[in-house]
Amino acid sequence: QVQLVESGGGLVQPGGSLRLSCTASGSMFSINAMGWHRQAPGKQRELVAVIFSGGGTNYADFVKGRFTISSDNAKNTVALQMNSLKPEDTAVYYCKAQRITSGRVYEYWGQGTQVTVSS
């Protein structure tokens, strides 16, 4: 099992910045990717950014150039630096870890942290 705890959400004005952090604990064996998803009211959860164990990253088009995902493997943390925030970025942001072992995919989710972009 993997436990994920997010922090860093809050209220920010449009154009502002926030940094989200996710700390993982438990068995990190075969965790091949960690990332951030978000869910706005009335909408489906969507991928924001992912970082793979080899260091590669992938971003949703709507955050490219504004958000940066990073990880510290020694501390089992993954961060999401969010700049130039827009009201449409308002959502609950969830940290996710993915394990692939014996051909099966396991997903672990944090509880989420609220990000509100408003003046």
Side-chain angles (χ1 to χ4, degrees):
Q1 287 290 332
V2 176
Q3 294 77 43
L4 303 172
V5 178
E6 303 101 334
S7 62
L11 173 64
V12 64
Q13 292 186 343
S17 298
L18 278 177
R19 184 176 179 86
L20 305 182
S21 183
C22 173
T23 300
S25 61
S27 175
M28 299 299 292
F29 178 74
S30 293
I31 295 296
N32 75 308
M34 292 186 69
W36 293 91
H37 288 63
R38 72 185 187 186
Q39 188 167 19
K43 295 187 177 181
Q44 289 189 330
R45 193 173 296 189
E46 59 186 358
L47 172 70
V48 175
V50 60
I51 186 164
F52 299 96
S53 56
T57 59
N58 193 26
Y59 295 90
D61 286 343
F62 53 77
V63 302
K64 285 182 179 177
R66 300 189 298 126
F67 292 9
T68 303
I69 190 170
S70 60
S71 65
D72 184 336
N73 293 332
K75 296 181 179 179
N76 289 338
T77 60
V78 61
L80 185 69
Q81 178 66 41
M82 306 186 294
N83 298 327
S84 302
L85 282 160
K86 305 175 182 180
E88 51 264 45
D89 294 318
T90 295
V92 178
Y93 283 70
Y94 296 91
C95 179
K96 187 182 94 169
Q98 177 177 283
R99 184 199 312 274
I100 298 178
T101 181
S102 301
R104 296 187 65 178
V105 179
Y106 300 86
E107 295 181 345
Y108 306 93
W109 293 88
Q111 292 298 309
T113 185
Q114 176 70 47
V115 172
T116 302
V117 185
S118 175
S119 56

